[in-house]
């Protein structure tokens, strides 16, 4: 059984965290957890009228499942419930246990390198200009049949970034020891290569 090895990946919306984390996990044979999905699952229950802290506790107890979590309404709801201290506390142990599993783990989110896994062996902060990120998310939404405009997607991304960066608890920011990768002018393939090289430098 190999020792735990945690790769913490943080960054703003649509920077490429998820795609890069999945590829990095496959490359090293590690497990991958998209922690944004936890907040999205809680956000989706909040939209249905459930108390967010109760939803977070039910989620880690395995009592609720998430589906259809990818849309912009759920993303906004996720960032609203993510400011609630009890929600973050309820999701903490699950993420920490996942991070220290044998065989290695990649977690992506907003506070992995700063709060969830400050001792992570490798930390990446994936970012890109807001306009570039909004264009990427817009292309995804159009491909999935959604009717929206580039302006609306940019406004949504900016609103969510501001809420994530300015909240009191676990705000989005690079850990002091994170390796920052700006993917604005990279293809997804180049970004994945840069991330793998950065992790190798810490192994
Ligand atoms: O997880 P996060 O919201 O940070 O981003 P993602 O879902 O991994 O990436 C958003 C979209 O941008 C995906 O369709 C990626 O393929 C695309 N992307 C890209 O085209 N070029 C990059 N350098 C990074 C991401
Ligand atoms: O894929 P994208 O970057 O658009 O969003 P996400 O990673 O699915 O996260 C949705 C929201 O959950 C974020 O805007 C944050 O408010 C919150 N979140 C968080 O607070 N902490 C995390 N570790 C992950 C997500």
């Amino acid at each position: 059984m190999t020792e735990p090895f945690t790769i913490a990946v943080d960054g703003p919306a649509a920077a490429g965290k998820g795609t890069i984390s999945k590829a990095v996990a496959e490359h090293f044979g590690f497990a991958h957890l998209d922690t944004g999905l936890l907040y999205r699952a809680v956000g989706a229950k909040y939209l249905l009228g459930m108390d967010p802290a109760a939803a977070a506790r039910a989620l880690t107890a395995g009592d609720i499942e998430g589906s259809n979590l990818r849309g912009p309404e759920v993303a906004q709801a996720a960032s609203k419930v993510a400011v609630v201290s009890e929600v973050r506390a309820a999701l903490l142990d699950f993420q920490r246990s996942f991070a220290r599993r044998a065989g290695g783990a990649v977690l992506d989110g907003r506070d992995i390198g700063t709060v969830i896994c400050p001792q992570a062996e490798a930390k990446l902060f994936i970012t890109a200009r807001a306009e570039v990120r909004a264009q990427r998310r817009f292309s995804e939404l159009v491909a999935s049949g959604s009717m929206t405009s580039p302006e609306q997607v940019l406004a949504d991304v900016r609103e969510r970034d501001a809420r994530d960066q300015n909240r009191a608890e676990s705000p989005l920011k690079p850990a002091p020891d994170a390796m920052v990768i700006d993917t604005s002018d990279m293809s997804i393939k180049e970004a994945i290569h840069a991330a793998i090289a950065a992790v190798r430098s810490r192994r």
Side-chain angles (χ1 to χ4, degrees):
M1 200 68 96
T2 30
E3 288 296 299
F5 187 100
T6 309
I7 304 175
V9 182
D10 293 301
K17 301 180 300 297
T19 313
I20 291 168
S21 297
K22 188 165 174 273
V24 167
E26 270 166 24
H27 179 87
F28 291 105
F30 289 6
H32 171 221
L33 178 65
D34 173 353
T35 67
L37 282 180
L38 303 174
Y39 292 90
R40 285 173 181 258
V42 174
K45 292 294 169 192
Y46 166 72
L47 288 176
L48 296 174
M50 194 167 172
D51 172 68
R57 287 190 291 269
L59 182 68
T60 53
D63 292 343
I64 57 173
E65 282 179 53
S67 55
N68 294 330
L69 301 177
R70 291 289 173 197
E73 296 80 12
V74 173
Q76 285 294 352
S79 84
K80 287 179 187 164
V81 299
V83 308
V84 181
S85 187
E86 292 86 346
V87 167
R88 307 202 72 87
L91 301 177
L92 187 70
D93 286 349
F94 175 77
Q95 295 176 83
R96 285 204 177 138
S97 310
F98 190 97
R100 298 316 285 168
R101 66 202 280 144
V106 184
L107 286 82
D108 75 283
R110 300 293 185 287
D111 62 340
I112 309 302
T114 50
V115 175
I116 305 294
C117 307
Q119 312 296 335
E121 281 76 8
K123 298 182 187 178
L124 305 178
F125 192 85
I126 310 291
T127 188
R129 292 190 295 276
E131 293 76 9
V132 174
R133 291 186 284 114
Q135 182 56 51
R136 290 175 185 163
R137 192 50 42 99
F138 175 69
S139 304
E140 285 180 326
L141 288 168
V142 169
S144 69
S146 160
M147 298 280 287
T148 185
S149 66
E151 294 77 18
Q152 181 58 52
V153 178
L154 179 58
D156 269 2
V157 161
R158 286 219 160 104
E159 183 186 333
R160 198 144 60 89
D161 285 354
R163 202 181 291 120
D164 291 349
Q165 286 160 357
N166 297 322
R167 67 186 176 216
E169 201 174 319
S170 308
L172 168 66
K173 63 174 178 206
D177 52 346
M179 298 172 276
V180 179
I181 301 176
D182 186 325
T183 70
S184 299
D185 303 309
M186 291 182 188
S187 69
I188 189 65
K189 213 173 156 193
E190 288 170 330
I192 290 167
H193 280 298
I196 290 171
V199 173
R200 271 222 193 90
S201 74
R202 299 291 159 101
R203 279 203 102 189

